[in-house]
Amino acid sequence: MLNMETDKIIEDSNTNSQYPMTILYDPARKKEPSPQYVTERETCLKYFEKWSEQDQVEFVEHLLSRMCHYQHGHINSYLKPMLQRDFISLLPKKGLDHVAESILSYLDADSLCAAELVCKEWYRVISEGMLWKKLIERKVRTDSLWRGLAERRGWIQYLFKPKPGESHPNHSFYRTLFPKIIQDIDSIENNWRMGRHVLQRINCRSENSKGVYCLQYDDQKIVSGLRDNTIKIWDRNTLQCTKVLTGHTGSVLCLQYDDKVIISGSSDSTVRVWDVVSGEMVNTLIHHCEAVLHLRFNNGMMVTCSKDRSIAVWDMTSQTEITLRRVLVGHRAAVNVVDFDEKYIVSASGDRTIKVWNTSTCEFVRTLNGHKRGIACLQYRDRLVVSGSSDNTIRLWDIECGACLRVLEGHEELVRCIRFDSKRIVSGAYDGKIKVWDLLAALDPRAPASTLCLRTLVEHTGRVFRLQFDEFQIVSSSHDDTILIWDFLNCNPPEGTPPQQQAMTALTNRSPTRTYTYISNF
């Protein structure tokens, strides 16, 4: 027979053997207190109440030290609810609603959902504190995908401080909006993986030499450098050419712009500076003795590279004050591409090597070896360098140690352009194809090579010369004299399409779904 009150020897009637067993205290079966306890309890309590708090604590500690384990368990169960404090519910009663809101504002979406279900008071704090609105605002401030989506979908007007004379919706609006945003983000990611997009095409209609060598875009315009020696600027909404900049006497091979200037490099060996608003040419830099193949500028510094095998580092004080700081020599063939940040300048050449230089001192740091043929393109950010080569491969490098982290194979000809962000790599090649790769998987040495290429996009009829992309689109240019805009935001499957059917389409349909907008410019 089991006795739940104390340790007892239980005798097994079948074996006549004895087993010591510790039985937990069961308060439901507690005995009535003894008469002696009832009589003496009040006397003890009167003594206890006369003592100081410190004395009371010391006395209880002595009592606890004389108790057995199961008694400690019972006291622990008794103390637990006494020690718990619903501080979120208590703070508003002290006039500290803002503190409760501040605490809950640190929760992520899943935790905020759970917090709403704790009790009515927690729900009230979340609702009146507009915490779903604040969560969305925090995402928009810190995540470029959320920021871009807010601007493109229009719900940014309901965030942050309302315009004078206007008010924002109530809590339930934002509570409903959040899962819709998540659904939208998932849909965009699925569009990337399935290759589903709306395709817009700009035909540049070059008069003589055809081909678009370089481009850069924002929400208002696309700036492109053409083989016919011109820079053409296109309106993003109408896709019409709004401005043509003339001055180069050779093909425009590279360009970059900011809110003040467009800077371009050409096969005429010059670097030219243009006012981004007026289109007026304000400066010409003559240094390289052969074609300027690539350039980058940022924070008052510019780096150019050339077919003459050199790299030039420039200090930019203003549009008209650009002075040569240093010339870097070390490559044994044309330097096709450069990139830099505050720590390193990175260059890649037809000599099959990538060289790393110190940005501050311009001193050589190391060489990255691995490509079997010349390197045509490269991007560098943080510790990662991604390069593309005429050996048809893409390589990922750790710039600090010089190690090659992964080789991506799939293109059938020279990899001419490459860009990456935090999720994916997008490459374009002379085979006319654009490939989208899973960057996180590529950085995982356990990931099989067959899983790395997410999608191959085939629309260009000539070599792909240049591309850029963001969370919502790819903009690419080609020898076929077109600029293509691949929009992954505004293309969704028909309503009611089961998820299983969408997944099956992704697996069985190699050619991605697309919708065309064709623009012809004369």
Side-chain angles (χ1 to χ4, degrees):
M1 176 179 177
L2 293 176
N3 186 328
M4 298 296 290
E5 292 180 310
T6 186
D7 291 353
K8 185 177 179 180
I9 301 299
I10 305 298
E11 183 174 332
D12 188 321
S13 57
N14 296 326
T15 62
N16 292 323
S17 61
Q18 294 181 332
Y19 303 93
M21 296 183 66
T22 300
I23 309 301
L24 295 176
Y25 183 82
D26 182 4
R29 301 181 61 181
K30 184 171 63 176
K31 288 183 178 180
E32 289 296 321
S34 65
Q36 181 181 2
Y37 167 74
V38 173
T39 303
E40 297 176 354
R41 179 179 62 185
E42 293 303 321
T43 303
C44 292
L45 289 174
K46 287 177 182 179
Y47 283 121
F48 185 82
E49 289 169 355
K50 292 177 182 179
W51 300 334
S52 67
E53 289 185 2
Q54 183 59 41
D55 292 339
Q56 289 173 347
V57 170
E58 185 178 346
F59 179 72
V60 171
E61 288 176 350
H62 281 298
L63 284 179
L64 290 171
S65 67
R66 285 166 170 74
M67 292 181 178
C68 60
H69 184 69
Y70 83 88
Q71 290 172 312
H72 290 154
H74 176 63
I75 290 170
N76 183 57
S77 299
Y78 180 76
L79 287 174
K80 270 185 178 179
M82 295 177 67
L83 296 173
Q84 291 173 349
R85 288 290 183 273
D86 180 0
F87 57 90
I88 296 298
S89 297
L90 291 174
L91 283 169
K93 294 177 182 178
K94 303 285 188 181
L96 299 172
D97 299 66
H98 63 287
V99 178
E101 292 171 10
S102 180
I103 293 169
L104 292 181
S105 70
Y106 286 96
L107 298 180
D108 59 20
D110 291 340
S111 302
L112 201 55
C113 283
E116 286 182 321
L117 302 175
V118 171
C119 63
K120 290 182 178 180
E121 183 61 21
W122 282 47
Y123 182 84
R124 185 195 67 78
V125 171
I126 292 169
S127 176
E128 293 183 4
M130 301 289 282
L131 296 191
W132 284 102
K133 177 176 181 281
K134 291 177 181 177
L135 176 59
I136 295 171
E137 289 172 345
R138 188 166 76 242
K139 291 280 191 180
V140 169
R141 278 194 301 267
T142 59
D143 190 314
S144 59
L145 172 57
W146 282 71
R147 178 76 186 187
L149 203 55
E151 293 170 347
R152 286 164 172 79
R153 295 301 197 213
W155 43 264
I156 196 169
Q157 64 183 306
Y158 304 116
L159 303 179
F160 307 108
K161 189 176 180 180
K163 296 178 181 178
E166 296 183 3
S167 60
H168 280 165
N170 60 23
H171 167 78
S172 60
F173 171 83
Y174 300 97
R175 182 66 181 85
T176 305
L177 177 61
F178 190 91
K180 290 181 179 177
I181 297 170
I182 297 300
Q183 186 177 9
D184 209 5
I185 291 172
D186 290 342
S187 176
I188 294 166
E189 189 63 30
N190 286 334
N191 288 344
W192 274 97
R193 289 188 171 273
M194 296 171 68
R196 187 168 51 234
H197 59 271
V198 173
L199 186 71
Q200 296 177 300
R201 184 189 302 269
I202 299 174
N203 191 328
C204 296
R205 296 288 183 182
S206 301
E207 293 184 3
N208 300 311
S209 303
K210 296 185 181 297
V212 186
Y213 280 128
C214 53
L215 63 83
Q216 184 183 338
Y217 71 88
D218 56 41
D219 291 338
Q220 286 75 46
K221 62 184 176 296
I222 299 173
V223 180
S224 59
L226 280 72
R227 192 180 178 191
D228 67 4
N229 308 350
T230 66
I231 296 171
K232 290 184 178 179
I233 302 176
W234 312 86
D235 183 275
R236 281 302 304 266
N237 295 318
T238 65
L239 302 186
Q240 299 297 320
C241 182
T242 60
K243 204 175 266 108
V244 179
L245 312 185
T246 58
H248 279 296
T249 57
S251 300
V252 181
L253 303 178
C254 55
L255 64 80
Q256 183 185 342
Y257 71 83
D258 61 12
D259 57 346
K260 295 180 180 178
V261 296
I262 301 170
I263 302 182
S264 58
S266 167
S267 59
D268 65 12
S269 306
T270 68
V271 174
R272 298 179 189 256
V273 184
W274 318 76
D275 185 281
V276 75
V277 177
S278 67
E280 178 188 359
M281 185 168 60
V282 295
N283 200 353
T284 301
L285 306 178
I286 301 173
H287 163 74
H288 291 290
C289 55
E290 292 191 65
V292 180
L293 301 179
H294 201 250
L295 65 84
R296 299 296 296 168
F297 71 86
N298 189 37
N299 291 332
M301 173 177 163
M302 179 170 66
V303 181
T304 61
C305 62
S306 170
K307 189 178 179 182
D308 64 15
R309 307 182 185 183
S310 74
I311 301 159
V313 182
W314 308 78
D315 290 316
M316 301 173 61
T317 305
S318 68
Q319 298 179 5
T320 56
E321 294 181 66
I322 302 175
T323 56
L324 184 64
R325 182 202 303 179
R326 186 81 174 265
V327 177
L328 310 182
V329 179
H331 284 293
R332 293 175 288 108
V335 185
N336 294 318
V337 59
V338 288
D339 203 354
F340 74 93
D341 63 10
E342 65 281 353
K343 190 172 185 180
Y344 294 124
I345 298 169
V346 186
S347 59
S349 167
D351 65 9
R352 309 180 184 184
T353 69
I354 297 169
K355 291 190 181 292
V356 182
W357 318 76
N358 183 286
T359 301
S360 300
T361 65
C362 292
E363 296 301 317
F364 172 74
V365 177
R366 66 177 59 88
T367 299
L368 311 182
N369 290 297
H371 279 296
K372 302 296 188 294
R373 298 185 68 182
I375 301 163
C377 55
L378 168 151
Q379 185 185 349
Y380 157 55
R381 192 178 70 189
D382 299 326
R383 291 185 60 141
L384 184 63
V385 174
V386 180
S387 59
S389 166
S390 55
D391 64 12
N392 304 349
T393 70
I394 297 163
R395 286 180 180 257
L396 283 66
W397 311 81
D398 184 329
I399 197 170
E400 296 294 350
C401 65
C404 180
L405 306 175
R406 172 76 79 163
V407 180
L408 304 179
E409 298 179 306
H411 280 295
E412 297 161 8
E413 294 186 47
L414 179 150
V415 182
R416 180 66 176 82
C417 49
I418 199 152
R419 304 297 294 173
F420 70 89
D421 63 9
S422 59
K423 292 181 181 177
R424 50 184 71 92
I425 301 168
V426 182
S427 58
Y430 277 7
D431 57 15
K433 298 175 182 178
I434 293 173
K435 288 184 178 288
V436 181
W437 311 80
D438 187 330
L439 174 60
L440 298 181
L443 292 172
D444 182 356
R446 299 167 298 179
S450 60
T451 66
L452 303 181
C453 184
L454 301 176
R455 181 60 57 177
T456 300
L457 306 173
V458 185
E459 287 296 338
H460 282 296
T461 57
R463 296 171 170 180
V464 181
F465 283 144
R466 191 61 55 89
L467 63 81
Q468 289 191 337
F469 77 99
D470 56 43
E471 293 89 348
F472 310 105
Q473 63 197 326
I474 300 170
V475 181
S476 59
S477 66
S478 168
H479 190 267
D480 63 17
D481 211 38
T482 66
I483 298 171
L484 298 186
I485 303 166
W486 316 70
D487 182 359
F488 297 92
L489 173 63
N490 298 303
C491 186
N492 293 311
E495 290 187 9
T497 304
Q500 295 87 346
Q501 184 177 333
Q502 295 180 36
M504 187 59 67
T505 302
L507 292 172
T508 59
N509 185 13
R510 177 176 173 82
S511 297
T513 306
R514 52 192 164 271
T515 305
Y516 291 96
T517 302
Y518 184 82
I519 303 294
S520 177
N521 292 279
F522 296 93

